[in-house]
Amino acid sequence: MSERILDFLRRRDADGPCVVVDLDIVRDNYETFAKALPDTSVYYAVKANPDPAILNLLESLGSSFDCASVGEIEMVLATGADAARISYGNTIKKERDIARAYQLGVRLFAVDCVEEVEKIARVAAGSKVFCRVLCDGVGAEWPLSRKFGCDPAMAPDVLEFAHQNGLTAHGVSFHVGSQQANLGAWDLALAMAAGVFQEMALRGIELKMVNMGGGFPTRYLKDVPGVPSYGEAIFGSLTKHFGNRLPSTIIEPGRGMVGNAGLIEAEVVLISKKSAEDEVRWVYLDIGKFHGLAETMDEAIRYPIRTPRDGDVTAPCVLAGPTCDSVDVMYEKTPYELPVSLSIGDKVLIEACGAYTTTYSSVGFNGFAPLASFVI
Amino acid sequence: MSERILDFLRRRDADGPCVVVDLDIVRDNYETFAKALPDTSVYYAVKANPDPAILNLLESLGSSFDCASVGEIEMVLATGADAARISYGNTIKKERDIARAYQLGVRLFAVDCVEEVEKIARVAAGSKVFCRVLCDGVGAEWPLSRKFGCDPAMAPDVLEFAHQNGLTAHGVSFHVGSQQANLGAWDLALAMAAGVFQEMALRGIELKMVNMGGGFPTRYLKDVPGVPSYGEAIFGSLTKHFGNRLPSTIIEPGRGMVGNAGLIEAEVVLISKKSAEDEVRWVYLDIGKFHGLAETMDEAIRYPIRTPRDGDVTAPCVLAGPTCDSVDVMYEKTPYELPVSLSIGDKVLIEACGAYTTTYSSVGFNGFAPLASFVI
């Protein structure tokens, strides 16, 4: 728990929930990634938290950036970073957005089908493309759908098509699933990537880069392996599958870079029961799914919560947000243990909220303001 | 399909998706409710779409307003409406927000437990309260959780507690579930409400009002009963359960008031397959779960979609949004039939998008702007 954040919160007296991110922790995280994977370029996944102070810090540390849109590309360029440090990593791009990115200097694009290659060939000639391949995501707390990437068997055709259309077939990307705690997931994915490299070599095209995506976990309630363990496992798998012809590599940490750097302070608005016989209390906070805690969807992410009554006897409760929307319930299938003495008006601290909170917030559902954010 | 909206869209040339709401349709909807339930007060559920032009129109038509927060109360007062036309319908309120609402003139509050009554008694003395009771929501496309309301057996205690603490125990509220197509749901709920009235009478307290909530459906792909059928069924149930001592009644349409008045225009960004063998295409739009179509969550609401190729042969496709988030997939379990000839760059029209789109939009996830909104 960051003393700097606690100190900031002690001095704040505005109403409403807020998230506070500690830049010292972001710096530590960046350095941990850089040390664990010294030959790998770090492309921060801007979507996790695009706060300008975070982008400025990472720019100064030498990070590169994975962007989902022209909007994010512009945010990164505003830090003074050169466009060569940007990857336009979204496989779904309008042709005019590709053209705008190209005009801004971006030369590295993600694809997963020939239709996307066609757009890039038309408006971003000579750029490098990497093909995202599907990966099953076993072991991830937030396994990915089939939305991004193609079957590994189709990737060589996509890359060869790029090569034939004036682009550089640069490499392969995958994503093992968010909050991935299974170190073996990278091994399977790297074996698949090596297979694509071999097939391309047979076709006379030399790929150069493997983008290993994100998925590095933040510690929520359950313990997760540390970044050094990931570095070791990944380096071992690279050597195993690529031998002494190691490709250049990229990682795209988002949650792993900022997740544990942020803390949300919220207030208990109401504690009640639905009937005299109910065992389980309902605890309503002034923040919920629509104002920052969207990742509690399907109870996927279980945030650690501190209360001023910690240490007292606990009992299970359903945790819900403040809106008039019945889906705005965070933990119900698996109730959350909180102190019996918890009271209306208490402030609670929700840990590991630096990623995927501010931008997931709605613009103003139910008339509540978007999540306030401070980066210190 | 509103000709006024189509005409507006023809003249628009900005990039990006937008929703356009036709005020003529909102006016028709208000008048249909007023006619179907002539003795019932209409409290528009502001959260469905708080656009000032919609609020101004409804104010001029004589509507009252159901508000979820002080923010929404302020929006309604900005139309010039008297605070007597406002219900603070959220059962989860900070005590200081109740105090602010009271200072603004609001005198009608929802509760579902004694803890909430205590707050109101402290800072809004003399106000009227109604107790929300749980209702099982069978037949609703978007059944409600147990988040709001108490067991009907507990309601008399909550209301008696209010009476003993200087508040007026005014009535009972329920919500049969959103997009409720089963007319019988209101009958069950009204029977339960009548039971609470009887129990309160035995305790010497006369309740006066039944708030029948929302749940009136919008026509998406499936047909739904028209508002006059609801009016008839509800009036029949009121007479059946309350005899010749009919309570005053309130309805809170949100979706039913604005849902069918809005249309989203979006663009096809990419159409691709994941492998050469796949039967199902993926169609990616420039709008998804994070920028207005949140109600496709769990594929709950199935929007009608028009394309410029309608009439051509169709085939199933997975429909997804433009963000780098793998949950941003709208229809996958039940693929959506769209014309085989649909092409990248085509504009599509998503119908019945006037409710729960603009405010559900994220502030800027993935660097995409919030949903643009026009009310004409």
Side-chain angles (χ1 to χ4, degrees):
Chain A
M1 179 92 59
S2 155
E3 274 307 320
R4 294 180 65 223
I5 294 179
L6 296 178
D7 192 52
F8 175 88
L9 289 172
R10 258 176 242 120
R11 283 178 286 113
R12 178 180 183 248
D13 68 351
D15 191 10
C18 70
V19 61
V20 190
V21 172
D22 183 342
L23 287 175
D24 287 351
I25 301 176
V26 178
R27 181 183 291 107
D28 284 351
N29 289 340
Y30 179 82
E31 284 165 359
T32 303
F33 278 115
K35 201 170 148 190
L37 289 158
D39 298 317
T40 296
S41 303
V42 176
Y43 280 67
Y44 172 59
V46 174
K47 61 182 178 290
N49 191 329
D51 190 283
I54 294 172
L55 300 183
N56 284 328
L57 170 70
L58 290 171
E59 191 282 328
S60 73
L61 293 171
S63 184
S64 292
F65 299 90
D66 165 45
C67 294
S69 65
V70 171
E72 288 190 354
I73 290 168
E74 287 168 343
M75 292 176 211
V76 169
L77 294 176
T79 69
D82 190 276
R85 285 160 71 180
I86 293 174
S87 166
Y88 195 164
N90 194 338
T91 53
I92 309 152
K93 301 174 289 295
K94 290 181 182 173
E95 187 165 320
R96 54 191 183 277
D97 285 340
I98 297 168
R100 284 172 65 199
Y102 186 80
Q103 282 157 16
L104 293 169
V106 175
R107 294 291 182 272
L108 182 61
F109 297 89
V111 298
D112 66 0
C113 59
V114 294
E115 292 81 359
E116 193 73 11
V117 173
E118 284 172 347
K119 298 179 200 166
I120 298 171
R122 276 193 292 267
V123 298
S127 292
K128 294 174 181 171
V129 299
F130 55 93
C131 184
R132 181 152 167 183
V133 286
L134 281 164
C135 191
D136 82 334
V138 170
E141 279 196 26
W142 195 287
L144 306 185
S145 68
R146 286 168 56 84
K147 181 176 176 188
F148 309 106
C150 62
D151 191 297
M154 194 167 97
D157 295 340
V158 173
L159 288 164
E160 189 175 6
F161 182 81
H163 176 79
Q164 289 163 345
N165 283 272
L167 299 171
T168 299
H170 190 53
V172 170
S173 79
F174 57 78
H175 197 298
V176 293
S178 195
Q179 190 70 4
Q180 177 58 268
N182 171 15
L183 298 176
W186 274 270
D187 188 64
L188 287 172
L190 284 168
M192 185 188 61
V196 177
F197 270 60
Q198 285 154 21
E199 172 62 24
M200 292 305 290
L202 292 176
R203 300 188 189 191
I205 299 166
E206 190 194 0
L207 298 183
K208 300 222 162 116
M209 185 273 283
V210 177
N211 177 342
M212 302 186 287
F216 306 96
T218 276
R219 192 177 178 286
Y220 294 102
L221 274 180
K222 281 192 290 187
D223 217 350
V224 293
V227 168
S229 315
Y230 282 88
E232 218 170 290
I234 287 171
F235 185 75
S237 293
L238 275 169
T239 312
K240 175 172 149 199
H241 298 297
F242 289 88
N244 55 6
R245 303 196 57 179
L246 290 188
S248 72
T249 49
I250 279 175
I251 53 171
E252 299 172 334
R255 189 186 307 281
M257 188 73 84
V258 294
N260 68 338
L263 196 66
I264 282 178
E265 184 180 63
E267 181 177 332
V268 177
V269 180
L270 180 63
I271 302 176
S272 65
K273 289 192 173 180
K274 298 292 165 187
S275 78
E277 296 77 36
D278 269 10
E279 295 286 319
V280 174
R281 294 165 299 164
W282 281 69
V283 173
Y284 301 90
L285 302 180
D286 63 355
I287 186 169
K289 276 209 172 86
F290 294 102
H291 296 85
L293 299 179
E295 290 206 313
T296 57
M297 204 189 307
D298 300 325
E299 311 197 8
I301 289 200
R302 212 160 169 86
Y303 292 102
I305 300 176
R306 305 276 186 105
T307 80
R309 321 275 181 174
D310 287 354
D312 290 0
V313 178
T314 68
C317 55
V318 176
L319 202 67
T323 65
C324 280
D325 195 309
S326 73
V327 306
D328 188 13
V329 176
M330 294 175 284
Y331 303 117
E332 183 173 19
K333 277 176 283 179
T334 310
Y336 205 100
E337 287 285 330
L338 287 174
V340 172
S341 53
L342 190 71
S343 301
I344 294 173
D346 281 355
K347 293 286 176 80
V348 301
L349 297 173
I350 309 173
E351 295 187 83
C353 286
Y356 300 111
T357 50
T358 52
T359 50
Y360 263 131
S361 172
S362 71
V363 290
F365 191 51
N366 271 236
F368 294 112
L371 179 61
S373 168
F374 304 95
V375 176
I376 61 172
Chain B
M1 178 94 57
S2 156
E3 275 306 319
R4 293 180 65 224
I5 293 179
L6 296 179
D7 192 52
F8 176 89
L9 289 172
R10 260 177 240 120
R11 283 179 286 111
R12 178 180 184 248
D13 68 350
D15 191 9
C18 70
V19 62
V20 189
V21 172
D22 183 341
L23 287 175
D24 286 351
I25 301 177
V26 178
R27 181 184 293 108
D28 284 351
N29 289 340
Y30 179 82
E31 284 165 0
T32 302
F33 278 116
K35 200 169 150 190
L37 289 158
D39 297 317
T40 297
S41 302
V42 175
Y43 280 66
Y44 172 60
V46 175
K47 61 182 180 291
N49 190 330
D51 189 284
I54 294 172
L55 300 182
N56 284 329
L57 170 70
L58 290 171
E59 192 283 328
S60 73
L61 294 172
S63 184
S64 291
F65 299 91
D66 165 45
C67 294
S69 65
V70 172
E72 287 189 354
I73 289 168
E74 288 169 341
M75 291 177 214
V76 169
L77 293 176
T79 68
D82 191 275
R85 286 160 71 181
I86 291 174
S87 165
Y88 196 165
N90 194 339
T91 53
I92 308 151
K93 300 173 289 298
K94 290 181 182 174
E95 187 165 319
R96 53 191 182 280
D97 285 339
I98 297 167
R100 285 172 64 199
Y102 186 80
Q103 283 157 16
L104 293 169
V106 176
R107 294 291 181 271
L108 182 60
F109 297 89
V111 298
D112 66 0
C113 59
V114 294
E115 292 81 358
E116 194 72 11
V117 172
E118 285 172 347
K119 298 178 200 168
I120 297 170
R122 276 193 293 268
V123 297
S127 293
K128 296 175 181 170
V129 299
F130 55 93
C131 184
R132 180 153 168 182
V133 286
L134 281 164
C135 193
D136 81 335
V138 171
E141 280 197 23
W142 196 286
L144 306 186
S145 67
R146 287 169 54 85
K147 182 176 178 187
F148 309 105
C150 63
D151 191 297
M154 194 166 100
D157 295 341
V158 173
L159 287 164
E160 188 174 9
F161 182 81
H163 177 80
Q164 290 163 344
N165 282 271
L167 299 171
T168 299
H170 190 53
V172 170
S173 77
F174 56 78
H175 197 297
V176 293
S178 194
Q179 189 69 7
Q180 177 58 269
N182 172 14
L183 298 175
W186 274 270
D187 188 64
L188 286 172
L190 284 167
M192 183 188 64
V196 178
F197 270 60
Q198 285 153 20
E199 171 63 25
M200 292 305 290
L202 293 176
R203 300 187 190 191
I205 299 166
E206 189 196 0
L207 297 184
K208 301 221 164 115
M209 185 273 284
V210 177
N211 177 341
M212 303 187 284
F216 306 96
T218 275
R219 189 176 181 287
Y220 295 102
L221 273 180
K222 280 192 289 187
D223 218 349
V224 295
V227 168
S229 315
Y230 284 88
E232 217 170 290
I234 288 171
F235 185 75
S237 294
L238 275 168
T239 313
K240 173 172 153 198
H241 299 297
F242 288 89
N244 57 4
R245 301 196 57 179
L246 290 188
S248 74
T249 49
I250 279 176
I251 53 170
E252 299 172 334
R255 189 186 307 281
M257 188 73 85
V258 294
N260 69 339
L263 194 67
I264 282 179
E265 183 181 65
E267 181 178 332
V268 177
V269 181
L270 179 64
I271 302 177
S272 65
K273 290 192 172 180
K274 297 294 169 186
S275 77
E277 297 76 39
D278 269 10
E279 294 288 319
V280 174
R281 294 165 300 164
W282 281 68
V283 173
Y284 301 92
L285 302 179
D286 63 356
I287 187 170
K289 275 206 171 84
F290 295 102
H291 296 84
L293 300 178
E295 290 206 313
T296 57
M297 207 187 305
D298 300 325
E299 311 196 6
I301 289 203
R302 209 159 172 85
Y303 293 102
I305 300 175
R306 305 276 185 107
T307 80
R309 321 274 180 175
D310 287 355
D312 291 0
V313 178
T314 66
C317 55
V318 176
L319 202 66
T323 65
C324 280
D325 195 308
S326 72
V327 306
D328 187 12
V329 175
M330 295 175 284
Y331 303 117
E332 183 174 18
K333 277 177 281 179
T334 310
Y336 205 99
E337 287 284 330
L338 286 175
V340 172
S341 53
L342 191 72
S343 301
I344 293 172
D346 280 355
K347 293 286 177 78
V348 300
L349 298 174
I350 309 173
E351 294 186 83
C353 286
Y356 301 110
T357 50
T358 53
T359 49
Y360 262 132
S361 172
S362 71
V363 290
F365 190 51
N366 272 238
F368 294 112
L371 180 60
S373 168
F374 304 95
V375 176
I376 60 172

